[in-house]
Amino acid sequence: MTKFQYSVASSLDGFIADEQHGLAWLLQFGFDAFQEHYDRFFADVGAVVLGASTYEWILREQPGNWDFGARPAWVLTHRRLPVPPDADIRFESGGVLPIADAARAEAGERNVWIVGGGPTAAQFLEAGRLDELLVTYMPVALGRGRPLLPVATVTPRFTLVRTTPFPNGAVEHVYRTG
């Protein structure tokens, strides 16, 4: 069964990027400790959804390198943005329910990854279309920045289903919603 999953790294104090959308605080940890875990997660991803800020960050910081392959990707925006070669990008505005339905259909038996940012994940949560939060807490605090999940009201309680510690002090927490 297809799940909508928000998988993201966060500082201990709940930020996914600094105030300028920067990730230097995260990149200092490297990728080696996480690669095998990420590869298993990504093998089950059939479609992705991104906010415009996350999409633009990827285009700016990783020019010519679209990490999602041929998987269909929905970008929530009111603008037309550049498209990397061989990427299946769909620009959408409006409510997330039609986007969620289309992404689920395209994902088939695999999952839909809500890549980010926090406002995109919050929209899916508030629409009842977020099944799991996979938050890897990094052992650093930022003090301020882009929040993990900027919701408008208190959410229902999440259920912790597993944790995965990494050698560098990071810990992934997987929560189910509802």
Side-chain angles (χ1 to χ4, degrees):
M1 183 169 125
T2 300
K3 293 183 282 190
F4 288 88
Q5 300 175 304
Y6 176 37
S7 178
V8 66
S10 173
S11 65
L12 290 175
D13 54 347
F15 298 106
I16 61 172
D18 66 24
E19 290 180 299
Q20 291 76 41
H21 299 275
L23 296 179
W25 64 273
L26 174 62
L27 299 176
Q28 69 178 318
F29 293 95
F31 295 102
D32 291 343
F34 309 102
Q35 193 63 53
E36 184 179 323
H37 189 77
Y38 172 80
D39 290 344
R40 279 193 309 273
F41 165 78
F42 195 61
D44 286 334
V45 172
V48 297
V49 178
L50 308 90
S53 293
T54 300
Y55 180 73
E56 289 176 306
W57 185 92
I58 291 169
L59 294 181
R60 183 178 61 252
E61 299 296 323
Q62 302 174 342
N65 187 20
W66 182 247
D67 291 337
F68 306 109
R71 288 168 180 82
W74 282 260
V75 178
L76 307 183
T77 185
H78 296 281
R79 301 172 286 141
R80 185 89 176 137
L81 299 167
V83 177
D86 302 321
D88 181 1
I89 307 294
R90 299 142 193 228
F91 298 106
E92 297 286 344
S93 60
V96 299
L97 290 176
I99 296 164
D101 290 343
R104 181 186 305 260
E106 290 284 336
E109 295 296 315
R110 297 191 297 171
N111 299 320
V112 177
W113 179 11
I114 310 302
V115 177
T120 299
Q123 288 179 60
F124 273 77
L125 178 66
E126 290 168 350
R129 293 296 180 95
L130 188 63
D131 301 306
E132 290 185 340
L133 284 83
L134 297 85
V135 183
T136 302
Y137 289 100
M138 306 306 291
V140 63
L142 300 182
R144 59 181 146 321
R146 305 295 174 185
L148 170 67
L149 197 61
V151 294
T153 61
V154 175
T155 68
R157 185 175 177 169
F158 299 109
T159 302
L160 180 66
V161 293
R162 82 175 167 275
T163 60
T164 304
F166 295 96
N168 60 8
V171 180
E172 180 189 59
H173 291 201
V174 177
Y175 296 96
R176 286 214 179 100
T177 62

